[in-house]
Amino acid sequence: MTKPAWSILPDEWKPILAERGLRAFRADQILQSLYRDCIRDWDGATTLPKDFRETLKEEFPITPCEVAAVSESSDGTKKLLVSFADGEAVETVLIPAASRFTQCISTQAGCAMGCAFCASGANGLSRSLAADEIVAQHMLARSFGEVTNIVVMGMGEPFANYDETLRALRLINSGRGPNIGARHITISTCGVVPGIERLAREGIQFELSVSLHAPNDELRSQLMPVNRRWPLDVLLPACAAYTAATKRIITFEYTVVAGVNDSRACAEELARQVRRVPMAKVNLIPLSPVAHRPDFRTPDESTMLMFLDVLMKRGVQTMLRRSRGKDADAACGQLRLRRAAAPREAAT
Ligand code: SAH
């Protein structure tokens, strides 16, 4: 049985080596080769004996993957198409800012959640990614700059692929791995309650965002089918339990869609709902237009400001977020694989 090298946590190498009669210091050499030298082939691990490199190649392969296409937006945001051996591919986005360089990673190719305004789910789920394929996106991104923050806000629902996602994030977080601080890693869920409950028990300091997008069940179920399974009276108490257990805040994401969830009444109702969760804040994001729903429009600035004002006046800590990467189809909710177009892009 082979096990991808990028799925093995640093502490797991020692027993693997012991089984083969190898000394523990080899683990450090392996980790340095993988995550400091960023080798893509075991032949590059020159500190290791040649016959051991052959064993590693056979039993612990480094996931074959490549950046099949790059598109850059005028604001400096880059979208990479990362493809794997079976021909499946996902998008990952690199977002530069003054003091940080954020990578938005995907956990699934496509998505089964079917949120109305999100392009990633428009064609359903193709498949979930394995931990090494999530790590692969990060390892490939490192040649584009020093990533400081990770947001799990790319394609897919992380809590529909919980184990592989958490394994990948623990690895990316590890000081003997890529070493991205836990507080610089944000997981975003559309509201899969068992995932929120499990994360509360992990004893790890990752940040949690919950995509809310509507202040009542009627509207939320229309926009997000997941709400029929876990409605607000289940979701919000689970969020409150999470903040109580972890003493960590939850950020509610609210994508504002013109004429759909942008009224003053919606803002007032949202403030009431959010206040059920101690230690919550809200990020307001203007809708990024998506091709499959031309009827969904971006609200104007004054609507965003009105919404912000209502929430702030009711004591809800709120941030207005700007969309980045729009002209490269890299903004929130725009990640989607155009199957016919991908191979053509890859050939150029
Ligand atoms: N499945 C996870 C993570 C992926 S989406 C989740 O739902 O949270 C990351 C964020 O982008 C979510 O808040 C999502 O609702 C939002 N989003 C999706 N489509 C969007 C669009 N067209 N415009 C703005 N935000 C969008």
Side-chain angles (χ1 to χ4, degrees):
M1 256 277 288
T2 64
K3 204 168 181 203
W6 282 338
S7 70
I8 300 171
L9 295 170
D11 289 344
E12 292 171 344
W13 279 105
K14 248 188 218 169
I16 288 173
L17 295 170
E19 263 172 35
R20 286 163 181 74
L22 287 158
R23 306 253 304 278
F25 74 93
R26 295 288 180 204
D28 293 325
Q29 292 176 326
I30 286 173
L31 292 167
Q32 282 172 8
S33 297
L34 287 173
Y35 302 114
R36 187 195 61 194
D37 307 338
C38 300
I39 57 162
R40 299 279 306 282
D41 184 318
W42 283 114
D43 284 332
T46 47
T47 48
L48 299 172
K50 188 150 190 340
D51 54 339
F52 183 43
R53 294 206 300 258
E54 294 305 317
T55 309
L56 288 167
K57 269 190 221 175
E58 272 168 35
E59 293 184 44
F60 307 103
I62 298 175
T63 308
C65 59
E66 63 172 357
V67 177
V70 181
S71 45
E72 186 163 1
S73 166
S74 55
D75 65 12
T77 299
K78 285 196 182 80
K79 183 176 71 173
L80 317 183
L81 179 70
V82 174
S83 64
F84 301 108
D86 69 349
E88 200 52 79
V90 293
E91 293 178 332
T92 182
V93 180
L94 299 172
I95 310 152
S99 60
R100 44 170 83 174
F101 189 49
T102 302
Q103 178 177 19
C104 178
I105 59 173
S106 296
T107 54
Q108 299 182 305
C111 185
M113 307 315 292
C115 300
F117 44 75
C118 181
S120 294
N123 288 341
L125 175 68
S126 180
R127 69 169 172 84
S128 286
L129 298 185
D132 58 298
E133 294 171 317
I134 299 171
V135 173
Q137 295 168 62
H138 177 65
M139 296 311 294
L140 290 175
R142 284 162 76 105
S143 57
F144 291 79
E146 195 188 322
V147 174
T148 60
N149 293 66
I150 301 253
V151 293
V152 186
M153 297 187 183
M155 304 170 69
E157 167 50 43
F159 289 163
N161 186 23
Y162 188 97
D163 292 328
E164 298 296 313
T165 298
L166 262 285
R167 171 166 283 271
L169 295 180
R170 281 186 192 280
L171 180 47
I172 290 171
N173 169 230
S174 168
R176 296 161 77 211
N179 195 23
I180 306 286
R183 290 172 180 208
H184 292 186
I185 296 177
T186 302
I187 305 178
S188 181
T189 178
C190 64
V192 176
V193 165
I196 297 171
E197 291 168 346
R198 275 183 80 180
L199 190 68
R201 293 193 297 267
E202 295 283 351
I204 200 153
Q205 310 241 330
F206 297 148
E207 301 290 332
L208 178 62
S209 282
V210 173
S211 299
L212 211 53
H213 307 325
N216 58 63
D217 282 327
E218 194 191 343
L219 184 54
R220 194 164 189 269
S221 292
Q222 274 171 33
L223 295 174
M224 306 176 75
V226 69
N227 192 67
R228 292 174 208 148
R229 179 84 189 272
W230 294 288
L232 291 171
D233 277 346
V234 177
L235 175 62
L236 294 173
C239 291
Y242 173 91
T243 61
T246 61
K247 308 276 180 284
R248 304 195 57 77
I249 59 162
I250 284 187
T251 304
F252 288 112
E253 307 287 336
Y254 194 96
T255 294
V256 186
V257 190
V260 174
N261 63 357
D262 67 343
S263 66
R264 179 174 289 274
C266 278
E268 286 164 357
E269 198 174 6
L270 178 65
R272 280 198 299 279
Q273 297 283 24
V274 167
R275 287 171 63 181
R276 294 166 68 181
V277 181
M279 301 173 68
K281 53 180 202 174
V282 171
N283 271 344
L284 294 177
I285 314 147
L287 175 87
S288 308
V290 283
H292 74 293
R293 287 301 296 260
D295 54 321
F296 281 161
R297 287 172 300 104
T298 307
D300 54 31
E301 185 82 10
S302 62
T303 306
M304 296 298 291
L305 293 174
M306 175 278 291
F307 218 89
L308 172 72
D309 186 58
V310 170
L311 290 169
M312 300 277 272
K313 286 213 170 99
R314 281 160 182 73
V316 178
Q317 196 188 326
T318 310
M319 292 257 294
L320 265 192
R321 288 240 321 255
R322 259 159 241 299
S323 241
R324 301 281 308 271
K326 267 190 228 166
D327 53 342
D329 278 353
C332 289
Q334 293 185 334
L335 299 186
R336 180 179 190 182
L337 297 173
R338 291 158 198 80
R339 282 177 197 290
R344 217 170 36 237
E345 277 175 40
T348 57

